[in-house]
């Protein structure tokens, strides 16, 4: 004898398992596309390749080449001789609102 509560729990468990498996498979496909991304070199042929692509956009590519820092290259504190640059720095401040019910910002 199975109670309606047990059937409800079983059904919701199966539904959540199916949902999470669907999301997992969707993200796994994206990861596979990223791992199989073509490696392109930054040279004079790159703008022509981008303009020839569909909607002038390449979905996933790995660009290889030499970049020059705007001011000075960043040096690693942990590995000697390792340098890097920052492509883009974005600072976003979230507005704080006082929640009188929880008495917190």
């Amino acid at each position: 004898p199975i109670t309606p509560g047990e059937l409800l729990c079983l059904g919701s468990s199966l539904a959540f398992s199916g949902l999470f498996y669907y999301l997992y498979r969707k993200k796994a496909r994206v990861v596979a596309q990223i791992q199989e991304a073509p490696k392109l070199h930054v040279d004079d042929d790159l703008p022509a390749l981008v303009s020839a692509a569909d909607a002038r956009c390449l979905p996933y590519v790995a660009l290889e080449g030499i970049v020059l820092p705007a001011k000075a290259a960043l040096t690693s504190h942990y590995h000697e001789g390792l340098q890097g640059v920052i492509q883009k720095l974005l600072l976003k401040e979230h507005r704080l609102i006082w929640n009188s019910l929880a008495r917190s910002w």
Side-chain angles (χ1 to χ4, degrees):
I2 298 175
T3 63
E6 290 174 339
L7 284 176
L8 180 69
C9 289
L10 178 65
S12 63
S13 175
L14 288 174
F16 280 122
S17 295
L19 173 69
F20 292 138
Y21 183 72
Y22 167 76
L23 293 174
Y24 165 75
R25 294 298 304 160
K26 186 176 176 183
K27 296 299 178 185
R29 275 186 245 120
V30 171
V31 169
Q33 286 179 347
I34 291 173
Q35 289 177 344
E36 296 171 358
K39 294 181 181 177
L40 303 176
H41 293 282
V42 178
D43 55 7
D44 295 334
D45 298 334
L46 187 60
L49 186 67
V50 172
S51 63
D54 293 336
R56 298 184 57 148
C57 178
L58 299 172
Y60 294 108
V61 295
L63 291 177
E64 295 179 342
I66 298 174
V67 296
L68 299 174
K71 294 182 182 177
L74 301 172
T75 57
S76 174
H77 295 288
Y78 304 107
H79 301 286
E80 289 184 27
L82 190 62
Q83 294 183 338
V85 295
I86 296 176
Q87 177 184 359
K88 185 177 181 181
L89 179 63
L90 176 68
L91 178 63
K92 182 176 182 182
E93 293 185 22
H94 296 282
R95 192 174 74 170
L96 296 177
I97 299 174
W98 176 254
N99 185 349
S100 60
L101 182 63
R103 296 187 178 261
S104 66
W105 287 99

